[in-house]
């Protein structure tokens, strides 16, 4: 199960392990949309993972993202960075692509993560 509020199911469809680079998962949205993602890299030592979106309803192409968790020693907390590169899909403006990624994907995911960890 996913902790993203817009995702109701997640299934590994390729690869021997969900944490091995090359693994592909299919996410099913609460609206029955589907997303296919491939794990590109997982670096436990640097607390980082990189993935790419293969197919999705988002108006983007060439999406590749890296998430990294940075420890904050003073507070015993953590800081998350989430960096992505992508282009607007055909028929969409760059602003539509950015808005979709930041408002439909990142904002609800980060809010759910924050609530889970609070």
């Amino acid at each position: 199960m996913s902790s993203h509020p817009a995702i109701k199911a997640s299934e590994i469809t390729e690869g021997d392990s969900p944490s091995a680079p090359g693994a592909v998962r299919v996410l099913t949205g609460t609206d029955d949309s589907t997303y296919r993602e491939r794990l590109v890299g997982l670096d436990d030592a640097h607390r980082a993972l990189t993935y790419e979106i293969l197919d999705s309803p988002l108006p983007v192409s060439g999406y590749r993202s890296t998430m990294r968790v940075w420890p904050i020693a003073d507070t015993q907390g953590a800081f998350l960075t989430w960096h992505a590169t992508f282009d607007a899909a055909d028929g969409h403006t760059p602003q539509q692509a950015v808005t979709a990624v930041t408002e439909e994907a990142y904002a609800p995911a980060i809010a759910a993560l924050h609530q889970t960890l609070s």
Side-chain angles (χ1 to χ4, degrees):
M1 191 65 158
S2 169
S3 63
H4 192 294
I7 302 299
K8 67 179 179 182
S10 174
E11 176 185 3
I12 299 300
T13 59
E14 295 178 35
D16 295 329
S17 167
S19 60
V24 175
R25 69 178 180 169
V26 174
L27 305 171
T28 303
T30 54
D31 62 357
D32 290 325
S33 58
T34 59
Y35 303 73
R36 276 187 350 114
E37 299 178 340
R38 176 182 296 123
L39 181 62
V40 175
L42 184 62
D43 184 342
D44 290 335
H46 291 103
R47 299 177 181 173
L49 72 86
T50 300
Y51 69 98
E52 59 190 2
I53 294 177
L54 304 174
D55 300 299
S56 84
L58 294 172
V60 299
S61 65
Y63 179 99
R64 187 176 179 113
S65 180
T66 299
M67 299 171 72
R68 185 162 181 200
V69 177
W70 302 83
I72 302 173
D74 293 352
T75 64
Q76 301 301 310
F79 183 78
L80 171 70
T81 58
W82 194 347
H83 176 264
T85 58
F86 54 87
D87 294 312
D90 289 343
H92 296 278
T93 67
Q95 187 56 50
Q96 288 171 317
V98 168
T99 298
V101 168
T102 58
E103 293 181 13
E104 296 173 30
Y106 290 5
I110 292 169
L113 179 62
H114 187 271
Q115 185 175 11
T116 298
L117 297 176
S118 295

